[in-house]
Each structure stands twice: as C-alpha cells, then as structure tokens.
C-alpha cells in the first residue's frame, strides 16, 4: 500500500511539474510599464542635492503626513493596474524618485507588498537629486547585470550651448538592467531625458536617444537575439526626433528592421491618446519601445495588442482611470497631480503611467 501511495504521489508530482513547465514555456505573459511618480521625495535633506522645497520647512511644507499620502497614492495606482491585469507588473520603471529609501517605502506599502518588488537604483548627478529606477518581481525577472549610463556630449549633434554650459550640465543617468524574463534574456533601459523647461533645445533629448540607442546596439552585438525594452519620460513625443530618428522608433511592424524599434505609442498619440496635458494639448512623453526581436518574434515573448478602439488595435495602454483624473476646476480632465498652483491637493502624478504586455502565447 505504501509503495502504491508513493507511486501515485510520484506520478502526481511529475504531472504537476510538467504542467507548471508547460505554463512557463507556453502560457507566459508579463506586464512591463513605466510611471513618472512626480517628485517622490522624502522629508529629509540629502547632502549636495537641491531638495529644500521638499522639506517640512521648505516651500512645499513637505511633512510626514503629505509624504505618507503620496506613498499611499503611488501604491494605489500600481495596485489598480494589477487589479486590471489580474497580475502585478513583472517590471516597472519609475522616474522622479529622490533615493532608494523612498522606493523601499513604496514597495512595502500594504496594497502592493505582496508583489515583493525588488529595486535597481543608482544615485545620479541630477542637481535636484531625482533619479530613475527599476522595480521587478524576482519570480518573473532575474537580474544579471546593471549600469548607470552618464549623459555626455560626445556626439556629432550641434548643441546650442557653450563649452562651459556643457561642463556644468547635469541630468539624470540612464539605467540599464539586463537579466532573464522567464527563460529569455532581456535588457531594460529606464530614462528621464532632459526637460523642456528653461528653453532647452530638443538637441539635448536627441542626444539622450542617441546614447540609449548606441548602448542597445552594443548589447545586440554582445548578446545576439537579446530582447530590449526602452522606457521613460522622454520629455518628447514618439514623433519627435529623439524617438523617431535617434531611437529609430517605427509606427508599424512592417517598418521595423533589424536595427529598429517598434514604437506602440506613436500611433496612439496620433489617435488622440495622451499621458500628460500641457496648455490644453495632450502628449505622450511616457514612452515604451521594443526592439525587433520583441516586435517580430512569433514563438517567444513578443508584444501583443491590449487596447481595442473600433477597428483599431493598440499595443500600449495609457492607464487613466477617473480616480487619477482631475474632476473639476481649471485642470479638469487632466492627471490629478500632487500640487496645483503651489497648493497640496493630494493627487497622484502629473503623468499617467503607461504599459505594454509581452507574451509567448500564439
């Protein structure tokens, strides 16, 4: 009897393992997204950083209560996306975060703690102290290598800046994280390209696109077949030179060559979607692009359509539920942000998050 029970248990284990393996190999889908968290600062001063407005006695009167409200709000958005997708993001890039500490507080929020998000973050040179980072679920993605890529002017682009201005220019590093998503090698780039504030020319963002693209091509040479996702607040639309020219972002699969990227939010911008609004005009600065192996793979992980509008299918999602949207006043219909005209209004961010889904389902 014992031998029979042992035999049945063994068979059951084999069948369970085979089923689990088949699900991993044949039925895997992963949500990959990006969210600008709009000035997620703690209430303490970081040496060498201009974070004074986000201190209790600073311009924003940034108290522990406001910080905790902000953290809860950010987590509630991540949770709402998980509820919509019936799974947490496997990988989520974030920007406008002050340090690792604010991310540790974020991933431990009760509404998302079960996701067990791990963090990849480097302190960068930005004068305000804001960085980019990557959150990932270790059961989905395992990290093999990461690097923080410094912005530089080693380019043929003609910049409208003096040598002194170039030497003093500080902006966010680009984060690159390489690892295994399921059983396939992926590299994720997270960027927050130079702002348009202060009359900065688009040459700065074009250089940002050029830096990311050059490193991506190096990775493709070093790891043939590697799948690459580029995401971030690009401070440009998918139609601007930084993304369409220097990142080689293409609107359709038919246009995507071996050295190109598919840009799913390009067609969505043309269709009227937006992740942020400025002076009544919608833009999609929160961009995600995928390289040719993700765009055209028919057997492994590839990008799939997730939004249908009429006869059109779109391969990206701008997450813009009503609770994240201003319901009244001057900015009605736009993202419900943390501050408005200098006053704390307890919102979420001035950007909506965006995401894609990759799957190996036929």
């Amino acid at each position: 009897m014992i031998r029979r029970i042992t035999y049945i248990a063994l068979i059951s284990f084999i069948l369970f393992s085979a089923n689990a393996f088949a699900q991993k190999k044949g039925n895997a889908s992963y949500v990959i997204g990006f969210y600008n968290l709009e000035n997620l600062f703690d209430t303490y001063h970081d040496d060498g950083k201009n974070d004074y407005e986000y201190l209790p006695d600073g311009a924003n009167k940034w108290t522990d209560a406001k910080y905790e409200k902000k953290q809860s709000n950010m987590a509630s958005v991540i949770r709402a996306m998980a509820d919509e997708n019936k799974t947490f993001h496997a990988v989520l890039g974030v920007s406008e975060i002050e340090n690792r500490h604010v991310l540790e507080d974020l991933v431990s929020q009760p509404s998302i703690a079960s996701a067990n998000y791990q963090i990849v973050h480097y302190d960068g040179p930005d004068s305000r102290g804001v960085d980019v980072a990557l959150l990932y679920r270790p059961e989905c993605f395992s990290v093999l290598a990461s690097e923080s890529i410094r912005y530089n002017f080693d380019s043929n682009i003609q910049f409208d800046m003096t040598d002194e201005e170039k030497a003093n220019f500080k902006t966010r590093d680009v984060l690159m994280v390489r690892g295994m998503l399921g059983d396939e090698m992926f590299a994720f780039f997270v960027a927050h390209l130079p702002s348009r504030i202060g009359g900065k020319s688009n040459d700065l963002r074009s250089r940002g696109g050029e830096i990311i693209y050059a490193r991506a091509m190096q990775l493709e040479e070093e790891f043939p077949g590697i799948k690459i996702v580029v995401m971030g607040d690009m401070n440009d639309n998918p139609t601007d030179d930084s993304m369409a020219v220097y990142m080689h972002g293409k609107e359709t699969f038919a246009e995507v060559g071996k050295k190109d990227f598919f840009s799913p939010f390009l067609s969505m911008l043309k269709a009227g979607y937006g992740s942020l609004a400025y002076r009544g005009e919608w833009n999609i600065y929160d961009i995600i692009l995928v390289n040719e192996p993700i765009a055209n793979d028919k057997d492994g992980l590839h990008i799939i359509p997730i939004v249908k509008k009429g006869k059109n299918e779109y391969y990206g999602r701008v997450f813009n539920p009503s609770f994240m949207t201003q319901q009244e006043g001057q900015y009605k219909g736009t993202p419900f942000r943390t501050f408005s005209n200098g006053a704390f209004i307890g919102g979420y961010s001035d950007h909506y998050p965006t995401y894609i889904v990759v799957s190996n389902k036929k």
Side-chain angles (χ1 to χ4, degrees):
M1 175 65 75
I2 293 175
R3 290 171 60 187
R4 182 169 179 269
I5 292 173
T6 302
Y7 175 77
I8 292 172
L10 178 62
I11 294 297
S12 298
F13 174 77
I14 292 172
L15 290 173
F16 175 83
S17 299
N19 182 59
F21 180 77
Q23 286 185 346
K24 181 179 178 182
K25 295 290 287 186
N27 297 295
S29 295
Y30 302 102
V31 182
I32 298 168
F34 173 79
Y35 194 16
N36 180 324
L37 302 181
E38 193 199 11
N39 295 319
L40 183 56
F41 282 79
D42 61 26
T43 59
Y44 305 96
H45 174 58
D46 285 0
D47 289 342
K49 302 299 182 182
N50 184 15
D51 59 0
Y52 297 103
E53 62 181 323
Y54 283 95
L55 297 176
D57 58 353
N60 291 324
K61 305 296 181 185
W62 194 239
T63 62
D64 287 343
K66 290 177 181 178
Y67 173 68
E68 290 166 6
K69 171 65 173 173
K70 175 75 171 179
Q71 285 281 9
S72 176
N73 281 356
M74 297 296 90
S76 69
V77 173
I78 296 170
R79 178 73 207 198
M81 288 189 286
D83 290 342
E84 176 176 277
N85 291 305
K86 297 184 172 51
T87 184
F88 281 104
H89 283 58
V91 172
L92 178 63
V94 294
S95 70
E96 289 198 21
I97 54 97
E98 183 182 17
N99 49 40
R100 186 182 181 90
H101 168 242
V102 300
L103 293 175
E104 291 172 347
D105 284 350
L106 175 61
V107 301
S108 64
Q109 291 291 305
S111 60
I112 64 171
S114 62
N116 190 31
Y117 279 119
Q118 305 299 298
I119 300 165
V120 182
H121 166 261
Y122 292 83
D123 285 315
D126 184 83
S127 60
R128 292 182 60 239
V130 292
D131 301 318
V132 298
L134 192 79
L135 309 181
Y136 67 95
R137 291 166 56 207
E139 67 268 30
C140 302
F141 180 66
S142 57
V143 175
L144 297 174
S146 66
E147 61 186 278
S148 196
I149 304 169
R150 190 61 44 91
Y151 191 96
N152 65 72
F153 292 93
D154 185 15
S155 171
N156 291 325
I157 296 173
Q158 298 299 309
F159 300 94
D160 186 20
M161 300 173 70
T162 66
D163 289 343
E164 182 179 3
E165 287 173 328
K166 291 178 184 178
N168 293 325
F169 183 73
K170 295 180 180 180
T171 191
R172 283 75 57 176
D173 285 355
V174 174
L175 175 65
M176 190 287 294
V177 184
R178 181 174 60 84
M180 302 301 292
L181 185 65
D183 57 1
E184 299 186 47
M185 184 178 289
F186 271 69
F188 296 96
F189 288 82
V190 187
H192 186 182
L193 296 188
S195 171
R196 293 176 173 233
I197 294 175
K200 299 295 185 184
S201 73
N202 62 6
D203 297 336
L204 294 173
R205 293 180 295 283
S206 291
R207 175 58 183 152
E210 186 178 53
I211 289 170
I212 298 168
Y213 182 79
R215 185 67 182 104
M217 292 302 101
Q218 289 175 349
L219 287 171
E220 288 192 354
E221 290 183 9
E222 187 176 357
F223 304 100
I226 189 172
K227 296 184 173 180
I228 300 175
V229 178
V230 175
M231 65 178 83
D233 176 358
M234 306 304 186
N235 276 305
D236 266 342
N237 280 307
T239 50
D240 289 320
D241 282 355
S242 62
M243 297 293 104
V245 177
Y246 290 92
M247 269 304 307
H248 296 244
K250 307 299 181 183
E251 183 175 359
T252 66
F253 292 122
E255 297 174 277
V256 178
K258 292 295 184 182
K259 300 298 183 182
D260 294 324
F261 281 77
F262 173 56
S263 183
F265 291 95
L266 201 160
S267 60
M268 296 185 74
L269 177 70
K270 292 181 178 180
Y273 289 90
S275 64
L276 76 160
Y278 180 69
R279 293 182 177 177
E281 181 179 352
W282 282 97
N283 303 278
I284 301 182
Y285 290 175
D286 307 274
I287 297 170
I288 304 173
L289 308 96
V290 301
N291 69 340
E292 190 273 340
I294 300 177
N296 292 327
D297 193 344
K298 302 304 180 187
D299 297 317
L301 292 170
H302 57 279
I303 191 169
I304 62 172
I306 53 176
V307 173
K308 188 178 178 80
K309 187 174 183 181
K311 296 181 179 180
N312 297 317
E313 288 184 328
Y314 298 103
Y315 289 77
R317 168 85 162 100
V318 177
F319 188 69
N320 57 353
S322 60
F323 78 89
M324 292 171 58
T325 302
Q326 189 75 40
Q327 298 298 315
E328 58 186 9
Q330 178 182 358
Y331 302 108
K332 181 179 180 180
T334 65
F336 183 22
R337 58 193 302 167
T338 307
F339 285 88
S340 180
N341 296 320
F344 179 76
I345 58 174
Y348 298 82
S349 173
D350 54 350
H351 292 243
Y352 291 129
T354 55
Y355 64 81
I356 63 170
V357 175
V358 296
S359 175
N360 59 13
K361 296 179 182 178
K362 303 293 185 181

